[in-house]
Amino acid sequence: MIPLRWIELDKSQTEPDEFPWNLPAIANLKRLEFTAPVTFFVGEKCFGQVNMVEAIAVAARLNPED
């Protein structure tokens, strides 16, 4: 089971020429569907999300700087 199946972007409160809405990958995006489980690392700034992702990369023998 995938609890989060999709997200839809409501751009009505945004300025389309401002970051990140002006990025080509997001500019025309209305709905993002998830077909496989996804994990999000969320928390306060400097709470360790980047360190966690880098540790996972090292454990998977990937370059943590990529």
Side-chain angles (χ1 to χ4, degrees), residues 2-62:
I2 303 174
L4 181 61
R5 298 186 187 276
W6 70 83
I7 59 170
E8 292 183 353
L9 303 177
D10 177 10
K11 298 180 185 175
S12 65
Q13 302 294 319
T14 66
E15 295 293 328
D17 58 340
E18 291 183 1
F19 181 83
W21 312 113
N22 60 351
L23 296 173
I26 296 176
N28 297 316
L29 184 65
K30 293 179 176 49
R31 180 176 170 139
L32 180 60
E33 295 191 23
F34 301 104
T35 58
V38 177
T39 300
F40 294 93
F41 292 99
V42 296
E44 297 294 325
K45 185 176 179 181
C46 299
F47 196 65
Q49 299 92 327
V50 172
N51 293 339
M52 179 64 72
V53 173
E54 288 178 348
I56 292 169
V58 169
R61 297 187 174 153
L62 300 171

